[in-house]
Amino acid sequence: MLDFIQKHNTGIKVKPRSKSSIAGLAGAFRRKVCKTEATDCLDVLKVLELVLPKLTEGEFEFFPLSNEVMGDTEAAMSPDRMKMCIRQDVYDALHEGDLRARFTIAHEFGHFMLHEGVALARGNAKDHKIYEDSEWQANCFAAELLAPVSQCIGMTEDEIMEKFQISRQCAGFRLKEANKR
């Protein structure tokens, strides 16, 4: 089951995607799968434990695994198998509303939506552009899923953090993106 967990820091080369195309997919996931308005804080735990398993008729599964088994990997997703492994401390933190854990799982949702077949497509992590990087794409997806940039326009960093339950670092990035518009 764990053979899809990658042990390197950068992602693998995947189909190129722009921030705007990723934002569109994150928005569609939020509306159609999560049934959550762009103005609302996303209940990541509910999506993980109830929505995705129900929507996929039980095909999507997640497995909290011990810290010893997962090591430095906080979570990993195999889109083809519809299986997610989550390090136990991250899963526990998600139940406590931890902001990093929320982002981590939203990041894995990004892999679920964006990267069919990547478990088999291992490549040289140095031979691709940022917009072809699986981890960069999943981070963009997670940020947009949790705090749609269209909703961050005119807000302060603290307001973004509070409204969307994201970290200061993520809120700072969202504010920077919102100010570009």
Side-chain angles (χ1 to χ4, degrees):
M1 175 184 359
L2 300 176
D3 60 330
F4 62 87
I5 297 176
Q6 293 180 264
K7 294 293 183 186
H8 50 77
N9 292 332
T10 58
I12 59 175
K13 185 176 181 176
V14 293
K15 173 184 165 186
R17 293 185 193 268
S18 67
K19 282 185 182 180
S20 63
S21 71
I22 295 168
L25 290 169
F29 184 81
R30 185 180 248 277
R31 285 186 312 277
K32 295 177 180 178
V33 174
C34 306
K35 307 282 190 223
T36 303
E37 297 294 324
T39 55
D40 296 331
C41 182
L42 181 69
D43 188 340
V44 175
L45 187 60
K46 179 181 173 184
V47 175
L48 175 70
E49 293 186 337
L50 302 173
V51 174
L52 285 177
K54 183 178 179 182
L55 182 70
T56 62
E57 298 179 351
E59 298 247 348
F60 173 85
E61 295 179 288
F62 68 94
F63 304 93
L65 299 173
S66 72
N67 295 13
E68 293 76 30
V69 169
M70 295 290 289
D72 291 340
T73 303
E74 293 181 26
M77 180 75 214
S78 175
D80 293 344
R81 298 180 198 167
M82 291 204 284
K83 308 281 186 247
M84 184 187 298
C85 295
I86 307 167
R87 199 171 65 200
Q88 187 66 54
D89 64 327
V90 174
Y91 184 64
D92 294 343
L94 181 63
H95 274 270
E96 296 167 9
D98 180 79
L99 306 180
R100 181 177 173 85
R102 285 173 42 77
F103 190 90
T104 297
I105 301 308
H107 173 99
E108 298 308 322
F109 293 159
H111 287 305
F112 179 67
M113 291 299 296
L114 300 170
H115 301 137
E116 181 179 354
V118 297
L120 305 174
R122 305 215 183 256
N124 185 341
K126 297 176 183 173
D127 289 343
H128 59 270
K129 307 283 187 212
I130 190 71
Y131 53 83
E132 297 173 315
D133 188 84
S134 61
E135 294 304 305
W136 178 85
Q137 289 181 5
N139 281 339
C140 289
F141 183 94
E144 185 66 23
L145 181 65
L146 293 174
V149 75
S150 64
Q151 301 304 307
C152 298
I153 296 170
M155 296 176 75
T156 67
E157 193 173 278
D158 287 337
E159 289 169 335
I160 295 168
M161 286 175 58
E162 176 145 347
K163 180 175 181 110
F164 295 111
Q165 294 300 293
I166 59 175
S167 70
R168 180 164 302 282
Q169 181 181 18
C170 186
F173 287 127
R174 300 318 286 157
L175 184 59
K176 185 177 176 182
E177 288 290 319
N179 288 337
K180 289 180 183 177
R181 294 189 174 195

